[in-house]
Amino acid sequence: MSSASKGDRKASLDAASWLFNVVTSVGIILVNKALMATYGFSFATTLTGLHFATTTLLTIILKSLGYIQTSHLPLSDIIKFVLFANFSIVGMNVSLMWNSVGFYQIAKLSMIPVSCFLEVVLDNVRYSRDTKLSIVLVLLGVAVCTVTDVSVNAKGFIAAVIAVWSTALQQYYVHFLQRKYSIGSFNLLGHTAPAQAASLLLVGPFLDYWLTNKRVDAYDYGFTSTMFDDGEICWLLRTMGRNPL
């Protein structure tokens, strides 16, 4: 195969990956927002635990089929990753619950400068002048939307800040673990999904009650809301497709 053909094939795969990422990311956002806003399932932490319970089940199936290879990841690193990831995902879901979809998406853009800051501080990465100017434009856009979006409230803003910083830390740690242990996204997911599911389902009902003063077991589970709650498949596709982590 010629180098030009290889380049075209790589470009096509990259474009397909980006499209897959966008579709699944938007899909899970719309499903979660509908579940929370329309059907009143305001239990963001428990919802995330259900996502990862399904992810765990499917990673077990993928492992039995040979798509996930056996690998080793120290327990200490799994705990660190789960801590960052749980704060990230719960923070994002709570931010989505308390903010508009527009502000939620705009706030996510601020992960770009935060991630760059972490790389500068932790890895001594140096960015070009054009990249720095682009980051400034992102920050200006986030600032404008923050002060003009009338739906923003104090608790929603705090949730967004926590979500952004924890997500940036989680993404940095993902790349760190993959470089350190030479493992792929499926392998990493196979190690972390069970721990995330267990921790979130254990803590979720209590945290959700503290945040909403509602009990998850008292929710009226209808057919439609239950089908929305089965957006875990879209979640799994998003989790696997947005990276190779």
Side-chain angles (χ1 to χ4, degrees):
M1 184 181 294
S2 66
S3 58
S5 298
K6 290 181 179 179
D8 292 340
R9 183 172 181 273
K10 184 180 184 303
S12 299
L13 289 174
D14 288 344
S17 297
W18 276 102
L19 180 61
F20 182 80
N21 184 14
V22 170
V23 171
T24 54
S25 295
V26 172
I28 193 62
I29 289 169
L30 293 177
V31 168
N32 280 357
K33 188 63 177 180
L35 185 62
M36 293 174 183
T38 305
Y39 296 97
F41 192 87
S42 55
F43 312 103
T45 312
T46 303
L47 177 62
T48 308
L50 293 173
H51 288 328
F52 275 103
T54 303
T55 301
T56 299
L57 176 61
L58 293 179
T59 53
I60 291 173
I61 295 174
L62 290 174
K63 189 172 183 178
S64 67
L65 295 174
Y67 290 102
I68 299 178
Q69 305 301 319
T70 301
S71 59
H72 173 70
L73 194 64
L75 179 61
S76 59
D77 284 321
I78 293 177
I79 292 174
K80 291 177 185 176
F81 177 88
V82 168
L83 182 64
F84 294 144
N86 283 359
F87 268 103
S88 166
I89 298 163
V90 173
M92 283 296 178
N93 274 351
V94 172
S95 175
L96 181 61
M97 181 173 63
W98 286 343
N99 298 312
S100 66
V101 173
F103 179 78
Y104 168 83
Q105 292 285 47
I106 290 298
K108 285 176 66 176
L109 289 177
S110 60
M111 285 190 297
I112 298 173
V114 172
S115 297
C116 293
F117 173 79
L118 291 175
E119 287 190 321
V120 170
V121 173
L122 300 176
D123 292 337
N124 294 318
V125 173
R126 293 293 178 265
Y127 291 98
S128 66
R129 178 175 175 272
D130 290 342
T131 301
K132 293 177 181 177
L133 289 175
S134 300
I135 293 173
V136 170
L137 288 176
V138 170
L139 289 173
L140 288 175
V142 172
V144 169
C145 290
T146 300
V147 299
T148 57
D149 193 331
V150 295
S151 65
V152 178
N153 52 72
K155 64 180 184 180
F157 178 78
I158 292 172
V161 171
I162 293 174
V164 166
W165 275 92
S166 56
T167 301
L169 284 167
Q170 181 226 357
Q171 291 179 349
Y172 175 85
Y173 204 58
V174 163
H175 293 290
F176 170 79
L177 291 177
Q178 287 191 301
R179 290 195 308 264
K180 183 176 181 180
Y181 297 106
S182 299
I183 57 177
S185 57
F186 282 4
N187 297 77
L188 184 59
L189 192 63
H191 285 292
T192 58
Q196 288 184 264
S199 58
L200 289 171
L201 289 177
L202 180 63
V203 176
F206 300 101
L207 181 58
D208 288 332
Y209 180 76
W210 178 69
L211 290 171
T212 65
N213 202 32
K214 297 178 182 179
R215 290 171 47 184
V216 67
D217 60 310
Y219 178 75
D220 183 16
Y221 292 90
F223 174 77
T224 305
S225 61
T226 302
M227 291 302 295
F228 268 113
D229 197 35
D230 285 337
E232 284 91 353
I233 302 300
C234 188
W235 170 269
L236 175 66
L237 292 175
R238 171 180 177 256
T239 305
M240 289 182 168
R242 67 180 174 185
N243 298 310
L245 285 169

